[in-house]
Amino acid sequence: MRPLVCALVVVLSAGSAAGGDGASVSVEADPQGATGLIKASITIPASPRRVWEVMLDCNRSLHIVKHLKQCRILERSADERFDVREHVVQWIWPFPEVRSVFRSHYEPYRHITFNRVAGDLIVLEGEWTLDSIDGGAGTHLAYRARVTPGWPLPGPLVRSAIDGDLRNTLAALSREAAGQ
């Protein structure tokens, strides 16, 4: 049964990697030990402020991130320079839901760093950078992260799934921010 499930996940996740809309995604083995070292970027035809607003909206994220089932803000600083969020993701049956709790630090409209606080992932850390382009009419969005799930799955399988999901998420984020 286990080889069949793994083969099914590989086939399904490989199909999702074809998404895009101009996103550049690289998911490699991390020499420091994380399952995935992720780098991604996309140019979005919307201002950094608009992209920022879409990125931080939990309700919108449920439509942008394909397998995201729950997004909750658990804690927020009075000056809104950091928050703690909980995400619950259901990738593919028969795998269980994955819960991640992470703290994000914000430089409005420019930079987000995030680190694992609790949950099912062993490693979760990274950053988003928003650079204004085209006189403020566009945004170059860059993402870097390290991720390790809390259950034994082959690294290539995890990296393939991350690649496809991230391409689709960036494309959906671009469409939402651009109002398409």
Side-chain angles (χ1 to χ4, degrees):
M1 174 72 171
R2 180 171 277 172
L4 175 62
V5 169
C6 287
L8 179 62
V9 171
V10 168
V11 169
L12 291 174
S13 65
S16 67
D21 289 352
S24 169
V25 176
S26 167
V27 185
E28 301 173 359
D30 181 1
Q32 295 181 0
T35 300
L37 178 60
I38 307 156
K39 299 175 187 172
S41 66
I42 190 169
T43 299
I44 300 174
S47 71
R49 181 183 196 103
R50 172 72 177 150
V51 173
W52 182 272
E53 290 167 355
V54 171
M55 288 177 67
L56 270 58
D57 185 328
C58 262
N59 291 327
R60 281 189 175 134
S61 67
L62 295 171
H63 304 288
I64 292 170
V65 182
K66 182 177 180 182
H67 303 289
L68 185 63
K69 301 302 177 199
Q70 181 178 358
C71 174
R72 291 188 317 147
I73 299 172
L74 304 177
E75 179 183 346
R76 178 180 284 148
S77 66
D79 63 2
E80 297 189 0
R81 292 292 182 156
F82 84 85
D83 65 26
V84 176
R85 292 177 184 236
E86 176 185 53
H87 281 182
V88 177
V89 175
Q90 176 67 60
W91 270 295
I92 295 175
W93 180 88
F95 297 110
E97 290 181 337
V98 177
R99 178 179 168 266
S100 59
V101 179
F102 54 95
R103 176 183 304 271
S104 297
H105 294 270
Y106 302 115
E107 275 182 60
Y109 320 120
R110 295 180 20 176
H111 194 241
I112 301 168
T113 58
F114 59 90
N115 292 10
R116 177 192 184 277
V117 172
D120 299 319
L121 300 176
I122 296 169
V123 176
L124 175 62
E125 61 187 28
E127 66 181 349
W128 293 93
T129 303
L130 296 81
D131 292 317
S132 179
I133 58 173
D134 299 331
T139 303
H140 179 77
L141 179 66
Y143 175 73
R144 295 177 54 92
R146 294 177 64 238
V147 177
T148 298
W151 60 94
L153 285 174
L157 173 67
V158 173
R159 289 188 292 275
S160 177
I162 290 170
D163 182 282
D165 285 349
L166 187 53
R167 287 178 191 278
N168 291 333
T169 296
L170 291 172
L173 172 61
S174 180
R175 286 190 302 272
E176 181 72 20
Q180 299 173 349

